[in-house]
Amino acid sequence: MATPVLDKEEAAGKPEPGFADSPYITVTFRVRRFNPEVSAEATWEDFQLEIDPKERVLDGLHKIKWDLDGTLTFRRSCAHGICGSDAMRINGKNRLACKTLIKDINPEKPITVEPIKGLTVLKDLVVDMDPFFQAYRDVMPFLVTKDTNEPTRERLQSAEDRARFDDTTKCILCAACTSSCPVFWNDGQYFGPAAIVNAHRFIFDSRDEAGEQRLEILNDKDGVWRCRTTFNCTDACPRGIEVTKAIAEVKRALITRRF
Amino acid sequence: MSTTETTASGIGPVEGAPGYSVENPAPVIEAPRKRTKKTPKSTRGNFEMYGWLFMRLSGVVLVVLVLGHLLIQLVLDGGVSKVGFAFVAGRWASPWWQVWDLLMLWLAMLHGCNGLRTVINDYAERANTRLWLKALLYTATVWTILLGTLVIFTFDPNIR
Ligand code: HEM
Ligand code: SF4
Ligand code: FES
């Protein structure tokens, strides 16, 4: 009855297959829950999961929502780190749930999952992103040119000119940076790193002609000068953008254009 | 708002916080302050830029002034035990040290004042708290600068 493979395993003194060599481990997810339709208090709730450590935090949240508690509310869309909808505070650091592997964040201890900070919590892990996108809109994140005619051909650009702002084109507007910034936490008036990153993307684009205007917008008292060079944004960015460096380049552009 | 309805939907009433339901939700957890379309636009020109530049430029000068000051007062020539009326009188007899101390006083006070202004802006939540903390800060700064300047210029070694 027993297959040769099983015989070998028994000979090696291994326990019964199917359980012991399962890749699954037991992990505790400690999730910050808030439901205004039930209580004004936010509370921690623990969930025990059987999960492959090579899976991601997002898979764990799916397991909770699909198998354990359908009321758990969070945003996600692409599940592959490109839509920017599932930034959350995992073990105290802002990350994308879909890019964070269980094995990389010490599954021995409970994994804490909270909404990103500094924005109004609507339910569980869902926050009101309006103030974040308001700051984004304020820096005019679109190409501005003086000629009002429809272009008849492509706007060409040298490889070097394109490379100048390459880093800041990668932003997916996940808000991990802005909601990791201590200036933003207490003071939601600050434009925040993400808005500055997206202004940088056009200020340093040789095809764009509204750089001066955007610099003036960021010269505001709640603009780049509120940055305290904490580097939280650079640490948080799931796209690896050098956010603090981009902010410093905008500061430098503001100073050098005047002197 | 009936409790049976919420229970039926699988969400039991939470202990100690009854009364919230789909029709009567609790207030959401607000961020301390929010940026909206109505956020007032600044009209302060380049003030923040000059403030930022001043912190860095005055910082560089302060490295020399403050470290030099500490060295002279606390380390060289017998350390702190030598400091007394005669020592101060001797130094302020020279315009060099008068200018040194005057510059250090003004730069350190303005640098510290602007730094604390930043801290207040970053941490005080309510507009009124900000106003009062800053009023206190500016009063203390102006008072200290004026008093210090007065002493440096009117110091009389033959007092008494
Ligand atoms: C010794 C040389 C000094 C250097 C190089 C220096 C440099 C700086 C710089 C560059 C900043 C701005 C930090 C930022 O914008 O994030 C700063 C902030 C500050 N400095 Fe100084 N400084 C010096 C001495 C002093 C002294 C003597 C005082 C006190 C009178 C002082 C009080 C402050 C305060 C309160 C802040 C604000 C803290 C903050 O923004 O986090 N500094 N300093
Ligand atoms: S800069 Fe990075 S962290 Fe900030 S919004 Fe863009 S992708 Fe997210
Ligand atoms: S779900 Fe799209 S970035 Fe994570």
Side-chain angles (χ1 to χ4, degrees), chain A residues 36-38 40 118 120-121 131 134-135 138 185-189 191 219-221 225-226 228 255 258, chain B residues 11 14 20-21 25-26 28-31 33-35 37 39 42 44 46 49 52 118 121-123 125 130:
Chain A
E37 291 172 0
V38 173
T120 298
V121 181
Q134 186 58 49
D138 284 350
W185 286 339
N186 184 50
D187 189 307
Q189 314 296 301
F191 272 81
N219 198 22
D220 187 278
K221 77 174 164 54
W225 308 115
R226 297 219 58 180
R228 307 249 70 75
I255 288 173
R258 291 213 154 73
Chain B
I11 315 163
V14 169
Y20 293 119
S21 69
V28 289
I29 303 173
E30 292 269 2
R33 306 202 293 143
K34 275 203 288 186
R35 182 194 185 84
K37 273 203 182 70
T39 298
S42 164
R44 293 175 75 183
N46 293 322
M49 182 182 80
W52 187 90
T118 312
N121 279 341
D122 282 354
Y123 286 96
E125 277 177 28
R130 287 174 176 227

Side-chain angles (χ1 to χ4, degrees), chain A residues 177-251:
Chain A
C177 54
T178 295
S179 64
S180 74
C181 174
V183 176
F184 184 78
W185 286 339
N186 184 50
D187 189 307
Q189 314 296 301
Y190 174 40
F191 272 81
I196 301 171
V197 159
N198 286 280
H200 179 286
R201 183 249 170 273
F202 287 99
I203 290 169
F204 294 96
D205 185 337
S206 59
R207 298 164 295 188
D208 186 83
E209 288 167 49
E212 187 65 20
Q213 219 176 321
R214 276 185 263 267
L215 283 173
E216 203 40 67
I217 291 169
L218 291 175
N219 198 22
D220 187 278
K221 77 174 164 54
D222 291 310
V224 286
W225 308 115
R226 297 219 58 180
C227 166
R228 307 249 70 75
T229 337
T230 315
F231 277 92
N232 279 18
C233 49
T234 302
D235 284 348
C237 182
R239 306 282 298 163
I241 298 171
E242 292 181 282
V243 183
T244 313
K245 185 178 169 201
I247 298 174
E249 286 175 357
V250 173
K251 284 177 186 163

Side-chain angles (χ1 to χ4, degrees), chain B residues 4-16:
Chain B
T4 34
E5 214 175 270
T6 39
T7 316
S9 73
I11 315 163
V14 169
E15 212 182 318

Side-chain angles (χ1 to χ4, degrees), chain A residues 9-217:
Chain A
E9 280 188 348
E10 270 158 15
K14 280 201 180 158
E16 285 223 316
F19 279 96
D21 55 359
S22 150
Y24 282 48
I25 58 168
T26 306
V27 175
T28 304
F29 268 55
R30 184 161 291 168
V31 185
R32 193 75 175 155
R33 303 293 307 267
F34 171 66
N35 182 354
E37 291 172 0
V38 173
S39 166
E41 300 289 315
T43 49
W44 291 105
E45 186 171 354
D46 282 7
F47 297 94
Q48 305 277 337
L49 303 177
E50 298 291 313
I51 197 164
D52 184 332
K54 292 189 291 300
E55 287 188 281
R56 308 157 302 169
V57 170
L58 182 65
D59 299 309
L61 293 173
H62 279 155
K63 274 186 211 280
I64 296 173
K65 185 166 181 69
W66 294 339
D67 301 340
L68 301 174
D69 183 350
T71 66
L72 180 69
T73 307
F74 55 90
R75 287 195 183 102
R76 72 100 173 81
S77 181
C78 69
H80 291 85
I82 209 62
C83 72
S85 52
D86 65 341
M88 45 190 84
R89 218 166 133 82
I90 299 165
N91 280 354
K93 275 187 72 177
N94 281 2
R95 316 171 203 241
L96 294 179
C98 64
K99 280 185 82 171
T100 308
L101 300 189
I102 302 283
K103 70 180 175 63
D104 293 337
I105 51 168
N106 186 15
E108 313 275 305
K109 290 216 195 107
I111 294 169
T112 61
V113 184
E114 301 162 76
I116 46 178
K117 291 205 336 171
L119 292 161
T120 298
V121 181
L122 300 179
K123 190 181 178 190
D124 292 345
L125 304 174
V126 173
V127 297
D128 176 9
M129 298 280 280
D130 279 357
F132 173 80
F133 285 115
Q134 186 58 49
Y136 173 62
R137 279 191 288 270
D138 284 350
V139 301
M140 309 192 300
F142 39 79
L143 186 81
V144 179
T145 58
K146 288 202 188 80
D147 63 289
T148 42
N149 298 328
E150 286 278 304
T152 47
R153 43 189 195 93
E154 220 179 326
R155 294 176 202 279
L156 294 177
Q157 183 172 48
S158 72
E160 297 82 66
D161 282 349
R162 175 60 178 73
R164 178 66 191 85
F165 61 96
D166 185 62
D167 202 32
T168 44
T169 62
K170 299 176 195 156
C171 176
I172 56 173
L173 292 170
C174 65
C177 54
T178 295
S179 64
S180 74
C181 174
V183 176
F184 184 78
W185 286 339
N186 184 50
D187 189 307
Q189 314 296 301
Y190 174 40
F191 272 81
I196 301 171
V197 159
N198 286 280
H200 179 286
R201 183 249 170 273
F202 287 99
I203 290 169
F204 294 96
D205 185 337
S206 59
R207 298 164 295 188
D208 186 83
E209 288 167 49
E212 187 65 20
Q213 219 176 321
R214 276 185 263 267
L215 283 173
E216 203 40 67
I217 291 169

Side-chain angles (χ1 to χ4, degrees), chain A residues 228-229, chain B residues 52 55-56 59-60 62-63 66 108 111-112 115-116 118-119:
Chain A
R228 307 249 70 75
T229 337
Chain B
W52 187 90
M55 288 309 270
R56 273 130 254 271
V60 171
L62 278 169
V63 169
V66 173
H111 177 103
L116 279 182
T118 312
V119 173

